[in-house]
Amino acid sequence: MKSLHYRAHAERHRTEHIGWLRAAVLGANDGIISTASLVVGVTAAHASHEAILTTAIAGLVAGAMSMAAGEFVSVHSQADTEKADLERERVELATEPDAEHRELTAIYVRRGLEFKLAQQVAEQLMAHDALGAHARDELGISETLSARPLQAALASAGSFSVGAALPLVVVACAPSDALLPWTVCTAIAFLALLGAVAARIGGTPIARSVWRVAFWGTLAMGITAGVGALFGVQA
C-alpha cells in the first residue's frame, strides 16, 4: 500500500507584514506631515531660516520619541490583554475541558461544519494544541497578528525619523525666499510616494492610497499655515 505524503504548499500572505507595516506607514506619514506642517506654520509666521531649521530638527526628535513611547505603551497594553485572556483560557482548559470542547465545537458549527464533524475537528485540534486552538478560533489571537510592543515602537520611531528627515532636508537646501512652496510641494510628493509604496506592499489600490495620504497631508499643512499667518509676527 502506497503511503501518502503531504507537502505543505508554501504561500506568503500580505497579512504577515501587517504588524510592522502599520507602524512603519503611520510613523513615516506622521513624520512627513507633522514636520512639514511645523515648517509651513513657522514659515507663514515669518520666522527666520535658522529658527525654521531648528523647529524642524526639534520636531523630528520629539516626534520620534513620542511615536516610540506611544506605540510601546498602546501595543504593550494590547499584549497584556492578550496574555490575560490566554491565562484565563489556560485555567478553563485545565478545570473545564468538556465545556471548552463544546465551546470550540459551537464555533465550528457557526462557521459551517456539521455538528459531528465540528466535534471531531475540535477534539483533534485540542488534542494537538488546545490553548492554540482556542487562542486562534475563540480569541482571535494568532502569531501573525499578536502584539509586539518593542517591534512597533522601533518601527514607528525609525519610520517617523525617516519621514521627518525629508522635509528637514528640504528646509536645509531650499532657498529661504521660496521655502514655503518648496516645503508644500515636496511634502505632497513624499506623501504620494509613501502612499504608493504602502499600497504596493499591502496589495491595495495605489491611486486610492495616494489620494488619501496626499489629501490629509495637504489639509494639515494648510490649516497650520493659516494658524501661523494668523498669529505670526515679523522676525
Side-chain angles (χ1 to χ4, degrees), residues 13-30 32 159 189-214:
H13 297 283
R14 298 184 190 277
T15 51
E16 295 174 3
H17 309 297
I18 196 170
W20 66 264
L21 179 61
R22 181 193 67 84
V25 171
L26 175 63
N29 184 77
D30 197 18
I32 295 171
S159 58
F190 293 146
L191 288 170
L193 179 60
L194 174 64
V197 171
R200 181 69 180 85
I201 296 174
T204 57
I206 293 178
R208 184 188 306 170
S209 179
V210 168
W211 162 252
R212 183 168 56 240
V213 296

Side-chain angles (χ1 to χ4, degrees), residues 120-145:
Q120 294 173 352
V121 171
E123 182 178 354
Q124 292 188 25
L125 288 178
M126 289 183 66
H128 174 69
D129 181 7
L131 183 60
H134 281 271
R136 180 178 59 253
D137 295 323
E138 180 185 348
L139 303 177
I141 299 173
S142 66
E143 181 66 23
T144 301
L145 302 179

